[in-house]
Amino acid sequence: MQRRSRGINIGLLLLLSQIFHVGISNIPPVTLATLALNIWFFLNPLKPLLSSCLSVEKCYQQKDWQRLLLSPLHHVDDWHLYFNMASMLWKGIHLEGRLGSRWFAYVITTFSLLTGVVYLFLEFALAELMDEPDFRRNCAVGFSGVLFALKVLNNHYCPGGFVNVLGFPVPNKFACWAELLAIHFISPGTSFAGHLAGILVGLMYVCGPLRKIMETCSGIFPSNIDYPGQQYYFNSLGYFGYQDYYPRGRPGYYEEVPRNYDAYTAGLSEEEQLERALRASLRDQGNRRNSPAAYGFHLTPEEEMRRKRLHRFDGQRGDPAM
């Protein structure tokens, strides 16, 4: 496996252009760090691809376990990097905003390692079941397995709608499976087992025990990790904040904190606020019953009737005989 020789890395230039088009300030920190890390290792690889890719023979039989760390961060060429990181850009913006930065970093790290482990298991199982030793030598590299796992999460949080796969509308919940087949139909040289491993890891998180295990293990870290459900947002003034959807005892619990509007409404209902405002307006006009309306201001028949009722009510309340 050798990196293709290119005078100009067009894929890298397109990726950088897309990042700057989105705006670095608009990319969440963990997503931006993941993009930067992959670009850095593409430009400055720690080892050649043949020494970084993941296979049963190299990793398990020869005990070269560092490949579990190296393989997701290395790419065959600039187009491989571009397609993976362009996908990471949009998935990261959505998922990091939903999960919170620290939990998303935890998810990325866990998925990167676990996808490699599941890939080794799949290749080993195929080699044994089909009695084909070549599966042990299949060597995979790239971030695409992690991206398939993130796609499962994204589809889990946004279950409705359709995506277009090769011109056909596919429901979101089946999109990862359709794309798995489509990619290998278009580009049969890609790692089917690596992409399938990512889907299985994503399913282990949304349907299996992985999320619970991660929540339990997060307690051993010295600093607290944001639980999934902490949603970051920009308010109308552009300030960055968050809403907590995790809770009392365990993640997933949501309790909306009631807001106190008494400081703005003096505890009045909407009807009482409207009446008070209308009375204030009448007092400003001197409570002149038959005076003409101000220039450019006309009451509808319903508002005029309401004004007369309020005026009559004020007159009765001020009459000592009443």
Side-chain angles (χ1 to χ4, degrees), residues 33-284:
T34 303
L35 297 173
L37 192 62
N38 278 270
I39 293 172
W40 172 263
F41 277 112
F42 174 76
L43 296 175
N44 304 278
L46 288 180
K47 291 186 176 183
L49 287 178
L50 286 176
S51 300
S52 304
C53 63
L54 191 64
S55 70
V56 175
E57 181 182 67
K58 298 294 184 181
C59 193
Y60 176 70
Q61 295 176 344
Q62 299 181 15
K63 310 301 180 185
D64 190 3
W65 295 109
Q66 64 178 338
R67 292 172 182 261
L68 282 171
L69 300 174
L70 296 177
S71 60
L73 301 175
H74 289 73
H75 292 82
V76 175
D77 56 29
D78 56 320
W79 289 108
H80 189 202
L81 175 74
Y82 168 73
F83 287 117
N84 278 351
M85 292 302 101
S87 178
M88 176 63 201
L89 175 62
W90 299 111
K91 289 181 176 66
I93 289 174
H94 182 265
L95 288 173
E96 186 173 348
R98 186 181 188 95
L99 301 177
S101 292
R102 284 184 289 178
W103 186 267
F104 186 62
Y106 188 22
V107 166
I108 289 289
T109 304
T110 303
F111 283 9
S112 297
L113 294 174
L114 196 54
T115 298
V117 173
V118 174
Y119 167 77
L120 293 176
F121 176 80
L122 290 175
E123 291 286 19
F124 181 81
L126 287 171
E128 292 297 316
L129 292 174
M130 301 180 67
D131 194 22
E132 180 55 68
D134 284 345
F135 284 111
R136 294 190 179 94
R137 291 189 287 270
N138 286 344
C139 215
V141 68
F143 205 72
S144 52
V146 181
L147 293 173
F148 267 89
L150 294 179
K151 176 175 285 293
V152 173
L153 263 67
N154 194 42
N155 294 343
H156 171 72
Y157 291 124
C158 304
F162 292 80
V163 296
N164 190 296
V165 180
L166 296 181
F168 297 96
V170 178
N172 265 342
K173 61 181 179 179
F174 302 123
C176 56
W177 298 104
E179 290 183 12
L180 174 68
L181 298 175
I183 287 175
H184 294 281
F185 175 77
I186 296 173
S187 181
T190 55
S191 175
F192 185 88
H195 296 167
L196 177 60
I199 293 177
L200 295 178
V201 169
L203 292 175
M204 288 167 61
Y205 183 90
V206 300
C207 303
L210 180 56
R211 176 175 168 176
K212 294 293 183 182
I213 294 173
M214 290 175 63
E215 291 167 1
T216 302
C217 292
S218 67
I220 68 176
F221 293 96
S223 60
N224 292 331
I225 291 181
D226 295 337
Y227 283 111
Q230 187 178 66
Q231 183 173 4
Y232 290 79
Y233 66 95
F234 285 94
N235 63 21
S236 59
L237 299 178
Y239 297 115
F240 191 71
Y242 64 89
Q243 294 174 331
D244 291 332
Y245 289 84
Y246 62 91
R248 300 174 179 179
R250 66 181 183 83
Y253 177 86
Y254 168 68
E255 180 179 9
E256 183 177 358
V257 179
R259 297 182 180 180
N260 183 7
Y261 293 98
D262 289 350
Y264 306 98
T265 66
L268 300 176
S269 67
E270 184 178 353
E271 184 75 12
E272 291 169 335
Q273 293 174 57
L274 181 59
E275 291 183 0
R276 175 170 288 192
L278 188 51
R279 288 172 183 168
S281 177
L282 290 172
R283 283 196 299 271
D284 289 341

